[in-house]
Amino acid sequence: MAKGTKQAAMGFIFITMLIDVIGLGIIIPVVPKLLQELSGADISEAARIGGLLAFAYAFTQFLFAPLIGNLSDQFGRRPIILISLLFFSMDYVFLAFAPSIAWLFVGRIIAGITGASISSASAYIADISTKENKAKNFGMIGAAFGMGFIIGPVLGGVLGHYGSRVPFIAAAVLCAVNFIYGYFMLPESLPVEKRRKFDWRFANPVGALMRLKKYPQVITLIIAVFLMYVAANAVHGNWSYFTMYKFGWDERMVGISMGAIGLAVGLVQGGVIRWLNPKIGNAKSILLGLILYAIGLFLFSTAQHEWLMFAYLVPYCLGGIAGPAFQATISEHVPPDEQGQIQGTLSSLNSATAIIGPLLMTNTFYYFTHDQAPFTFAGAPFLLGGLLTLVSLYFAYTNLKNKL
């Protein structure tokens, strides 16, 4: 692929992922309200149900991400991404009209299958990147997530005033637009000569994870990534419930706050990383990022005033320099025809932590906020996340200390 075409393709995949993330972000502020409406529970119990919904989504994605990644290694990235987008749109329509909690679980399972396309998108970026710009390009995934979470939650918070179902319809429309855009504008990134046959041995999460034994030099990095992902669920899976409980925020305020998170993440992933990573390299980016993540999480756990949640976003979001550096470092040890597989494996790993993380964090929140709690400490999930990040830092350091 020519240089100009690669730059255009990077723009296409960025827009595709941006619209996809906006669709996801739109529904986040209204999920607690919808769960309360359908279950009649308080916010503490809604958090526990929300953790189970996240488990259903993540477990399905864990099972299907290696399958999707392997399919993209044989048939190319473009068709897999487009099919996933189409089904994502259909799933949001299904969720919008779900009459009960049980149907929400069915919808989340469908979304887990289609959401596995992130492995194909990551492999797409690996296809068109060089060793020198790989971390910078992976940072664009974070930038798309950041921008999507600026627009999505704010829009969802506004639309939520018209009903808890309205944002789901909006998300369905956005995903349909995304599919149409990708169909006409997204080129294929994997040449036929670089494709490989589909292999069932590695198209399942166990086989994919076992495949990592082929790359023993990255095992401790994989452990560090795993712990970092689990810790991140203290924010991803807990933010809405914590701020509604602690500060009495409504959907609009939750949307605004998540928009602020998205803005900060977008600035870091799309700007700071592109400037800082070439200067300090991947190893230092990983270690510095984990330190900043831990500081941010510990600070969140102590917040007693609303404005502090915004102030503490600074160190936490700066910690985002670690993620793309992790991906780039691991990707460097994998040949071109296995990039879909390794990205599928990393996506499966992320999903595995999303199986554990939301249940761990929302149940920790429930334990310390429900009526019979031994003592009230709504910030407990953030404290736990900070401790897990310190353990992640230890494993990363043992792998990278000779590269500093």
Side-chain angles (χ1 to χ4, degrees):
M1 192 181 287
K3 182 177 180 180
T5 305
K6 285 184 178 181
Q7 291 175 341
M10 193 67 217
F12 295 148
I13 201 71
F14 174 80
I15 295 296
T16 298
M17 294 186 69
L18 173 63
I19 298 175
D20 201 24
V21 175
I22 290 173
L24 178 64
I26 279 178
I27 71 171
I28 291 176
V30 296
V31 167
K33 180 180 176 181
L34 180 60
L35 291 176
Q36 287 180 284
E37 288 177 359
L38 292 176
S39 67
D42 61 14
I43 191 67
S44 184
E45 178 65 17
R48 190 182 67 82
I49 298 172
L52 291 172
L53 278 172
F55 168 84
Y57 173 84
F59 184 70
T60 310
Q61 193 174 64
F62 172 71
L63 293 177
F64 280 87
L67 173 67
I68 299 298
N70 273 264
L71 286 172
S72 77
D73 280 340
Q74 177 169 351
F75 298 106
R77 318 303 184 198
R78 171 185 156 87
I80 304 302
I81 292 171
L82 292 179
I83 291 170
S84 294
L85 290 175
L86 179 61
F87 276 90
F88 232 158
S89 179
M90 295 166 61
D91 179 64
Y92 280 128
V93 175
F94 181 89
L95 290 171
F97 295 100
S100 67
I101 294 290
W103 283 106
L104 286 181
F105 276 95
V106 174
R108 287 288 81 193
I109 289 170
I110 297 171
I113 298 171
T114 57
S117 62
I118 186 65
S119 60
S120 299
S122 297
Y124 190 108
I125 292 174
D127 292 339
I128 63 175
S129 300
T130 63
K131 182 178 179 179
E132 292 72 25
N133 68 9
K134 189 169 287 185
K136 179 175 70 175
N137 286 345
F138 274 126
M140 294 306 291
I141 297 178
F145 271 83
M147 290 184 65
F149 277 108
I150 296 170
I151 302 167
V154 174
L155 184 58
V158 173
L159 292 175
H161 282 286
Y162 300 98
S164 58
R165 312 280 184 150
V166 174
F168 290 91
I169 297 295
V173 172
L174 280 173
C175 281
V177 170
N178 197 4
F179 167 78
I180 294 169
Y181 171 82
Y183 182 83
F184 289 104
M185 302 298 291
L186 187 67
E188 179 55 64
S189 65
L190 187 64
V192 174
E193 64 272 16
K194 290 188 176 181
R195 299 182 188 181
R196 65 178 182 83
K197 290 290 186 180
F198 180 84
D199 191 338
W200 277 107
R201 291 176 299 166
F202 310 119
N204 64 84
V206 176
L209 292 174
M210 292 298 291
R211 182 72 169 173
L212 291 173
K213 291 190 297 184
K214 184 179 178 181
Y215 312 106
Q217 63 271 39
V218 299
I219 294 298
T220 50
L221 286 180
I222 294 292
I223 295 172
V225 170
F226 179 87
L227 292 168
M228 181 183 73
Y229 284 159
V230 173
N233 281 280
V235 175
H236 299 165
N238 191 59
W239 183 271
S240 298
Y241 304 106
F242 173 81
T243 53
M244 286 180 172
Y245 177 89
K246 183 79 173 180
F247 305 117
W249 287 3
D250 60 10
E251 297 91 339
R252 178 178 172 274
M253 192 61 199
V254 169
I256 291 172
S257 68
M258 298 197 75
I261 295 174
L263 176 61
V265 168
L267 290 173
V268 171
Q269 301 286 339
V272 174
I273 287 175
R274 299 173 76 84
W275 169 78
L276 184 62
N277 185 273
K279 294 182 181 297
I280 68 174
N282 289 327
K284 290 181 180 177
S285 293
I286 289 169
L287 299 179
L288 177 60
L290 289 173
I291 290 170
L292 290 167
Y293 266 142
I295 291 171
L297 287 165
F298 286 135
L299 289 174
F300 284 143
S301 73
T302 67
Q304 297 299 317
H305 302 286
E306 297 176 60
W307 67 270
L308 288 173
M309 296 300 290
F310 290 93
Y312 296 158
L313 285 176
V314 175
Y316 178 77
C317 291
L318 283 172
I321 63 175
F326 266 126
Q327 279 187 289
T329 302
I330 294 169
S331 177
E332 288 169 5
H333 296 282
V334 179
D337 65 349
E338 294 185 11
Q339 286 296 329
Q341 178 177 287
I342 192 65
Q343 296 303 331
T345 301
L346 290 176
S347 183
S348 238
L349 188 73
N350 189 11
S351 297
T353 64
I355 294 170
I356 301 167
L359 285 176
L360 178 63
M361 298 306 176
T362 55
N363 277 283
T364 299
F365 175 79
Y366 173 78
Y367 182 78
F368 286 103
T369 58
H370 76 290
D371 293 340
Q372 283 77 44
F375 59 92
T376 301
F377 180 33
F382 296 121
L383 177 62
L384 177 58
L387 294 173
L388 289 171
T389 304
L390 291 181
V391 180
S392 173
L393 177 64
Y394 167 77
F395 280 104
Y397 178 75
T398 60
N399 183 285
L400 300 170
K401 59 185 177 182
N402 294 328
K403 299 179 180 180
L404 299 175

